[in-house]
Amino acid sequence: MVSPLPELVIAEFHKKIKDAFEVFDHEANNTVDVREIGTIIRSLGCCPSEGELHDLIVEVEEEEPTGYIRFEKFLPVMTKVLLEKRYRPIPEDILLRAFEVLDPSKRGFLTKEELIKYMTEEGEPFSQEEMEEMLSAAIDPESNSIRYKDYIAMMVVDDG
Amino acid sequence: MGTLKAHRAVTSMEKSSSPSPFRDGNTEAQEGKIHERCPSPPPSPGGPSLLARISTHFTAFKAAALIQRWYRRYMARLETRRRCTWRIFQSIEYAGQQDQVKLHDFFSYLVDHFTPNSNHERDFLNCKFTTERFLQDSEMEKGSDYESIEVPDNYTGPRLSFPLLPDHATALVEAFRLKQQLHARYVLNLLHETRKHLVQLPNINRVSTCYSEEITVCGDLHGQLDDLIFIFHKNGLPSPERAYVFNGDFVDRGKESVEILMILFAFMLVYPKEFRLNRGNHEDHMVNLRYGLTKEVMHKYKTHGKKILKILQDVFCWLHLATLVDEKVLILHGGVSDMPDLELLAKLDRHKVLTTEVVVSTLGRKTRRQKGKQPAKEKAARVPAPELALRPGRLHLGSRGGTGPAAPPASPAAAARPGDPGLDGAGSRQAPQEPGGGEPPALHARSRLGSPEPLQPTQEAWKQVVDILWSDPMAQEGCKANTVRGGGCYFGPSVTEQLLQKYNLQFLIRSHERKPEGYEFCHRRKVLTIFSASNYYEVGSNRGAYVKLGPALTPYIVQYQANKETHRLTMRQRISRVEESALRSLWEKLFASSLDLLGEFKKHDADKTGLITLSAWAEAVESVLHLGLPWRMLKPQLVNSSTDNTLEYKSWLEDLAKEQLSRENIQSSLLETLYRNRPNLEAIFRITDSDHSGFISLDEFRQTWKLFSSHMNIDITDDCICDLARSIDLNRDGHIDINEFLEAFRIVEQSSTEGDTSDCPQATNTDNSGCSKPSKR
């Protein structure tokens, strides 16, 4: 198929963004709670870091932050993000290498304590809730460790 | 408000040029880039080991950041799926409610447009619509005849004796927990005692925290016994120190509505001061017809089911309309309108409000067709549908004579008393508050056979009750008609404020709407929605909650999910299960509209390539199903996406069909239509089966189907229907079991071995022998 015209691409992006926004627009008044913006952006295929997310929010917030983000402000910013293909998702093998960095002796797994330590002390640390949720799915209760290769394989399939 | 989850604020840093696995200089590295926020590396006097250690630290830092970033995205997608799933269920459910509206329309339409071709048909019609009333009169008298019901010796279920003791009620809970069933005799006995008790109680129940220190308020249970048992387990059984208020919608949808009612009524008799029940919109026999209680009762109690339903109908009308705690907290099922009138609510004869099923569109048409009897009522401005507040009951025959099935006399003894005083004692014919000055049309109905008029509450009183039971809060200001539900209104924050001020209240507790967390505050915490049926759509779909009030009246919420399994599942698994279930429902709906979808797709495919863009797909699907779903978000689950953004729609529809049907030759449009209208059909058949016998005669079936199809714009010949009926009546006794009929149209094979279906036109696919395809709507 011939590569579509830019206007069509943008129109399609607009519809996608609108759909995603609406899922979280509980009061059907074209606003969402600012705390959901991250979820919306990620659901559109982007994978920003918390820092990048913070910057984006600053762009779409009102001058006087109200706690709500309006669709009119969100749409152009998000369209640009999609057009520029920013915050691309992380390929599986890069992810695997990240785990391997944390497992220098190449055991093939991380202990629960190690995972907790890294996830809550390094990078952009997890909240307790995030940590618990990850542990519930990742940790093999018998060995009390995460076999990260299997874990990635499981999560990636699920992601659809 | 507005605070992000805390993340460590770190100073930004320029991209480091130190070697790392993430900067290979190829495209992968581009994608693996992360904006790093780390402190700059200090100068390293300590030699290579320190530098190496610092590099490792950075790398671990970056690795962790990468994993976290990926994980957060994963969770976000999961959360989105969860929301979408919720939306699917909600929109299908609302669509189901819209079906109910269509059903009303159907009957109304019939009544107005169907010209009986023969006396036979006319009689049939009238019979359907009047029989129930007369049946009720005589049945009511015989209803108290439970004493004659024998309880067999081998009955091992719970036994009740009156007056009821606390132990009995507790034993009942335990018995039901063990899946025992209460014998019909005790059910009827309990219901009669319940009615006797309720009759003495006022419309608005007043409770005080002086006597019982705490009051627990529970919301909708919808037949989910597990939740009730869980609440008693977690919060404690009712007692003089532990008061309970159950805020309506005890029944329908769930499978143990009867058991819930038994338990609730039993405790109410045992602790009359401390255990109260508010009426919900589902405590209504018309709603029960469609949403499950009627079915459940008939299935569990068979011959006695009829009696039980009759008295239940009455009991529901005697329930409290609202509860007031310490004169400060108002508890009612739905909500309020912008013209709340608690005085009127307290005074009106609640017993006369048999059903609150109101349908905006139906009534709209009705009033305009009253041959100019009265103009459409204009209520004070804000309600765009002035016909909202009309006569009780689903339908009536108006000028044709006869009275609607839902408008029988209010009490058994009143059956033959003409000229009974209405609400205000001066005859119910006037609706004095109505600016339009009109009267509810039903009051004009003259009974064809000369029997007395039904007794109606005034229009205003009626409307108050409808508003109480059906309204929902909204974020926007103002007050507008609740078109989704078909009755009541959407009320904004200032309406709440107005109400609280007018009656000097602190806040409002209501139910009626399911919430993912089991509860939700709105209107600046002045309105609390409490919903107690956990896992309402599917295991893992939502929590239930109840709220406790002490003397300080500070709400204390307790949440739960009454299913041990869910706790062990991860969020991912919970969501997958719920999602599967939602998707299944969605698949069904899509399948049922295959023909319409094909038509829409073709419109987007002018060049007849057989392909459409995914964008066009989304538009087409929405225009057919009208579910208001974010189709683009759902696309991955519904469409095996092709790489170049197009879809071969015909094969997609075929795949849909394959998913739904086990045998490919069951693909008639008739079947599809029936399948699509399955919920409506069921309700229609239940109404047709007016003696609740569970059987309808072939003739009744034919008549009903004919009426139904003429409304739904389906062109079906008589022969076709006859064949259909005959093929379903497998044992050839001239009767169709409703359940079996519906089963026949689920996703099961037509038994071609029986031989009769081969004669039946619908067994063949598209060659229209005798049946024409349903016309597109």
Side-chain angles (χ1 to χ4, degrees):
Chain A
M1 195 167 155
V2 174
S3 145
L5 297 168
E7 302 87 62
L8 290 181
V9 169
I10 291 180
E12 189 52 35
F13 280 164
H14 280 185
K15 287 192 205 138
K16 265 180 83 166
I17 296 170
K18 187 165 204 306
D19 264 4
F21 196 87
E22 272 175 10
V23 173
F24 294 88
D25 178 11
H26 304 298
E27 298 172 4
N29 57 2
N30 286 326
T31 66
V32 300
D33 191 318
V34 65
R35 288 167 292 187
E36 317 246 56
I37 284 290
T39 313
I40 298 176
I41 294 175
R42 286 168 173 136
S43 76
L44 285 164
C46 302
C47 198
S49 68
E50 292 288 289
E52 288 164 335
L53 191 58
H54 188 238
D55 292 342
L56 267 175
I57 289 179
V58 165
E59 267 191 77
V60 296
E61 244 177 356
E62 309 291 324
E63 265 105 51
E64 295 279 332
T66 59
Y68 288 94
I69 304 294
R70 288 186 299 120
F71 181 65
E72 300 81 46
K73 282 203 101 168
F74 182 68
L75 182 65
V77 174
M78 195 65 218
T79 308
K80 197 147 170 281
V81 166
L82 290 181
L83 276 172
E84 293 172 3
K85 300 193 178 142
R86 274 193 258 161
Y87 318 129
R88 300 293 277 173
I90 300 161
E92 213 177 305
D93 49 351
I94 301 276
L95 191 57
L96 182 59
R97 273 144 75 169
F99 274 104
E100 284 172 352
V101 165
L102 302 179
D103 175 25
S105 36
K106 307 280 178 263
R107 298 160 298 175
F109 65 86
L110 291 173
T111 68
K112 182 173 165 187
E113 289 69 36
E114 285 169 346
L115 186 67
I116 292 178
K117 179 172 91 106
Y118 284 124
M119 293 294 107
T120 57
E121 292 177 18
E122 302 282 358
E124 292 174 320
F126 275 169
S127 66
Q128 181 164 350
E129 214 183 299
E130 284 174 311
M131 193 67 247
E132 277 172 16
E133 184 58 50
M134 185 184 199
L135 288 172
S136 73
I139 294 288
D140 167 25
E142 275 170 39
S143 59
N144 228 20
S145 65
I146 164 177
R147 302 204 68 85
Y148 45 84
K149 213 164 176 194
D150 298 337
Y151 177 59
I152 293 173
M154 173 179 83
M155 299 286 263
V156 166
V157 164
D158 206 38
D159 215 9
Chain B
M1 279 217 326
T3 50
L4 270 184
K5 270 197 308 249
H7 67 278
R8 269 200 219 139
V10 287
T11 56
S12 55
M13 152 189 122
E14 300 95 54
K15 298 188 191 88
S16 135
S17 55
S18 56
S20 94
F22 305 103
R23 296 183 183 286
D24 293 339
N26 56 21
T27 46
E28 275 181 63
Q30 296 294 26
E31 297 184 296
K33 244 190 288 188
I34 41 180
H35 292 219
E36 296 160 14
R37 291 167 173 253
C38 300
S40 327
S44 57
S49 61
L50 180 59
L51 190 61
R53 261 184 286 134
I54 290 168
S55 298
T56 314
H57 171 75
F58 287 161
T59 315
F61 185 95
K62 285 193 286 189
L66 199 97
I67 294 170
Q68 286 151 349
R69 199 175 108 204
W70 162 83
Y71 183 79
R72 282 176 173 130
R73 174 168 182 251
Y74 177 82
M75 292 309 283
R77 295 193 62 177
L78 213 55
E79 175 64 21
T80 306
R81 274 163 63 187
R82 186 176 80 86
R83 299 294 181 96
C84 285
T85 301
W86 189 259
R87 286 281 300 270
I88 294 175
F89 277 129
Q90 273 195 319
S91 65
I92 288 181
E93 181 165 3
Y94 280 145
Q97 289 183 1
Q98 297 298 338
D99 274 357
Q100 183 77 344
V101 171
K102 282 200 214 124
L103 199 60
H104 286 278
D105 281 5
F106 159 53
F107 272 111
S108 231
Y109 174 89
L110 286 184
V111 162
D112 288 348
H113 287 283
F114 182 67
T115 319
N117 288 335
S118 65
N119 279 331
H120 179 71
E121 282 175 344
R122 186 190 337 243
D123 287 344
F124 172 80
L125 234 193
N126 281 327
C127 189
K128 283 307 128 210
F129 300 146
T130 56
T131 303
E132 219 185 281
R133 186 171 93 88
F134 297 116
L135 208 58
Q136 284 192 9
D137 302 352
S138 48
E139 281 305 311
M140 229 18 142
E141 323 262 325
K142 283 195 270 160
S144 1
D145 204 13
Y146 56 84
E147 270 141 26
S148 62
I149 301 178
E150 291 274 328
V151 180
D153 291 329
N154 59 2
Y155 170 71
T156 52
R159 290 172 191 261
L160 301 176
S161 63
F162 294 84
L164 223 47
L165 295 173
D167 281 349
H168 290 136
T170 314
L172 213 50
V173 180
E174 188 54 25
F176 290 148
R177 199 178 66 82
L178 300 171
K179 306 290 177 214
Q180 292 173 7
Q181 182 171 309
L182 186 65
H183 194 271
R185 183 210 167 96
Y186 299 121
V187 173
L188 286 165
N189 202 350
L190 180 56
L191 289 176
H192 276 276
E193 293 297 316
T194 302
R195 179 171 55 184
K196 272 193 331 204
H197 169 77
L198 287 174
V199 166
Q200 313 156 36
L201 299 179
N203 295 352
I204 300 184
N205 165 42
R206 284 171 155 78
V207 187
S208 169
T209 50
C210 308
Y211 303 118
S212 33
E213 284 135 26
E214 59 171 46
I215 296 175
T216 304
V217 183
C218 302
D220 296 23
L221 285 170
H222 280 303
Q224 297 187 185
L225 184 61
D226 284 340
D227 286 305
L228 181 58
I229 292 182
F230 186 88
I231 293 173
F232 284 160
H233 172 74
K234 189 162 168 103
N235 195 45
L237 287 167
S239 70
E241 294 80 35
R242 194 174 294 116
Y244 274 94
V245 176
F246 281 84
N247 201 11
D249 278 11
F250 323 122
V251 299
D252 283 335
R253 296 206 175 97
K255 303 247 179 330
E256 287 159 308
S257 303
V258 175
E259 284 71 32
I260 289 189
L261 285 177
M262 295 297 105
I263 293 175
L264 294 180
F265 292 153
F267 276 112
M268 186 178 65
L269 291 175
V270 168
Y271 298 117
K273 290 213 177 53
E274 296 84 12
F275 198 89
R276 308 295 186 132
L277 305 174
N278 283 345
R279 189 177 184 183
N281 60 305
H282 276 260
E283 275 68 57
D284 183 324
H285 70 288
M286 293 308 264
V287 178
N288 300 148
L289 265 171
R290 181 172 156 77
Y291 285 101
L293 178 63
T294 309
K295 193 165 152 183
E296 185 189 323
V297 170
M298 291 312 297
H299 176 72
K300 285 181 175 163
Y301 290 100
K302 309 215 186 332
T303 43
H304 299 299
K306 214 173 19 172
K307 272 192 213 149
I308 293 175
L309 286 170
K310 293 285 185 281
I311 182 174
L312 208 45
Q313 176 182 324
D314 210 37
V315 167
F316 284 159
C317 302
W318 281 114
L319 291 169
H320 290 300
L321 294 173
T323 296
L324 202 50
V325 180
D326 289 351
E327 303 292 323
K328 286 270 161 236
V329 179
L330 184 60
I331 309 175
L332 38 78
H333 180 73
V336 290
S337 71
D338 58 354
M339 302 207 295
D341 191 344
L342 290 186
E343 287 92 3
L344 177 55
L345 207 61
K347 270 193 328 206
L348 62 84
D349 190 343
R350 70 183 190 273
H351 184 229
K352 295 210 173 68
V353 181
L354 262 132
T355 173
T356 53
E357 273 237 304
V358 276
V359 178
V360 176
S361 53
T362 302
L363 301 178
R365 283 215 303 270
K366 273 245 90 41
T367 46
R368 282 191 284 281
R369 274 196 231 105
Q370 284 303 314
K371 300 192 182 83
K373 267 203 181 91
Q374 70 268 343
K377 273 152 273 313
E378 294 302 318
K379 288 215 59 103
R382 48 96 195 163
V383 176
E387 305 85 8
L388 252 184
L390 277 197
R391 78 271 168 314
R394 301 174 56 174
L395 52 84
H396 64 96
L397 293 179
S399 48
R400 283 199 176 195
T403 49
S411 66
R417 263 189 283 130
D420 233 2
L423 263 196
D424 46 12
S428 49
R429 288 165 190 280
Q430 298 308 316
Q433 285 107 322
E434 284 313 295
E439 297 162 39
L443 292 182
H444 284 285
R446 288 178 323 277
S447 163
R448 187 164 152 268
L449 300 171
S451 25
E453 312 236 1
L455 307 158
Q456 314 293 347
T458 63
Q459 195 159 324
E460 179 54 39
W462 181 255
K463 191 182 173 308
Q464 287 287 327
V465 179
V466 170
D467 286 335
I468 297 260
L469 299 184
W470 289 84
S471 302
D472 293 311
M474 64 174 177
Q476 293 98 320
E477 288 294 350
C479 187
K480 57 184 187 184
N482 192 328
T483 45
V484 172
R485 304 243 194 213
C489 52
Y490 285 119
F491 61 99
S494 51
V495 174
T496 302
E497 202 47 53
Q498 201 186 318
L499 170 84
L500 299 180
Q501 279 192 20
K502 182 172 179 189
Y503 295 106
N504 203 10
L505 304 168
Q506 273 179 24
F507 62 96
L508 185 67
I509 299 180
R510 44 89 64 178
S511 304
H512 197 41
E513 279 183 300
R514 46 229 131 265
K515 298 289 175 194
E517 292 299 311
Y519 77 98
E520 188 176 271
F521 281 102
C522 66
H523 294 189
R524 294 181 281 269
R525 288 184 84 88
K526 295 290 173 59
V527 175
L528 168 63
T529 302
I530 196 89
F531 192 81
S532 301
S534 68
N535 304 324
Y536 183 67
Y537 291 129
E538 176 63 64
V539 170
S541 66
N542 68 290
R543 291 172 146 146
Y546 55 85
V547 59
K548 296 164 75 94
L549 299 172
L553 297 179
T554 319
Y556 173 71
I557 314 256
V558 178
Q559 293 172 291
Y560 56 86
Q561 209 152 13
N563 186 312
K564 293 187 222 91
E565 253 193 78
T566 43
H567 292 301
R568 286 192 231 114
L569 297 172
T570 62
M571 184 168 161
R572 180 178 67 95
Q573 287 166 313
R574 264 184 275 142
I575 288 176
S576 299
R577 281 170 66 155
V578 186
E579 198 182 30
E580 246 177 65
S581 170
L583 288 175
R584 241 181 291 130
S585 310
L586 204 49
W587 280 113
E588 279 184 24
K589 277 211 159 286
L590 286 167
F591 165 67
S593 301
S594 305
L595 215 59
D596 288 340
L597 284 171
L598 184 63
E600 275 303 310
F601 292 152
K602 283 194 174 144
K603 283 190 204 154
H604 287 266
D605 180 24
D607 301 334
K608 298 206 196 323
T609 58
L611 301 168
I612 49 171
T613 63
L614 288 172
S615 181
W617 170 86
E619 274 179 40
V621 174
E622 178 56 29
S623 73
V624 170
L625 289 192
H626 296 297
L627 287 176
L629 287 174
W631 294 104
R632 286 174 188 80
M633 304 286 286
L634 299 171
K635 187 183 42 149
Q637 273 96 325
L638 297 173
V639 176
N640 286 330
S641 56
S642 27
T643 46
D644 57 350
N645 209 44
T646 56
L647 172 69
E648 251 193 82
Y649 52 89
K650 281 211 184 99
S651 46
W652 181 73
L653 283 170
E654 278 164 16
D655 287 343
L656 252 187
K658 283 196 201 118
E659 297 252 349
Q660 294 297 306
L661 305 167
S662 46
R663 281 269 295 268
E664 269 154 50
N665 57 4
I666 313 170
Q667 285 208 40
S668 71
S669 34
L670 175 59
L671 185 62
E672 194 184 292
T673 310
L674 284 171
Y675 195 82
R676 174 179 17 203
N677 289 295
R678 186 161 49 97
N680 284 339
L681 286 177
E682 196 176 325
I684 290 170
F685 289 141
R686 288 200 192 286
I687 293 166
T688 305
D689 176 30
S690 46
D691 61 354
H692 294 297
S693 63
F695 292 100
I696 49 177
S697 71
L698 286 182
D699 204 34
E700 285 176 330
F701 167 71
R702 236 178 19 91
Q703 295 290 349
T704 307
W705 180 245
K706 192 160 153 185
L707 300 177
F708 179 75
S709 58
S710 75
H711 170 73
M712 293 301 196
N713 246 357
I714 302 165
D715 235 343
I716 294 229
T717 65
D718 265 357
D719 287 340
C720 210
I721 299 179
C722 286
D723 288 339
L724 188 60
R726 268 195 295 267
S727 71
I728 289 157
D729 177 25
L730 293 175
N731 63 0
R732 298 263 175 276
D733 69 346
H735 283 92
I736 295 171
D737 178 296
I738 287 176
N739 290 322
E740 271 156 12
F741 173 79
L742 293 174
E743 272 306 317
F745 287 93
R746 283 182 209 260
I747 317 155
V748 285
E749 304 182 4
Q750 288 248 359
S751 48
S752 49
T753 52
E754 292 279 344
D756 30 42
T757 53
S758 52
D759 302 331
C760 193
Q762 78 261 21
T764 59
N765 199 350
T766 49
D767 61 356
N768 290 353
S769 44
C771 288
S772 35
K773 283 207 169 79
S775 49
K776 298 248 185 74
R777 285 187 277 128

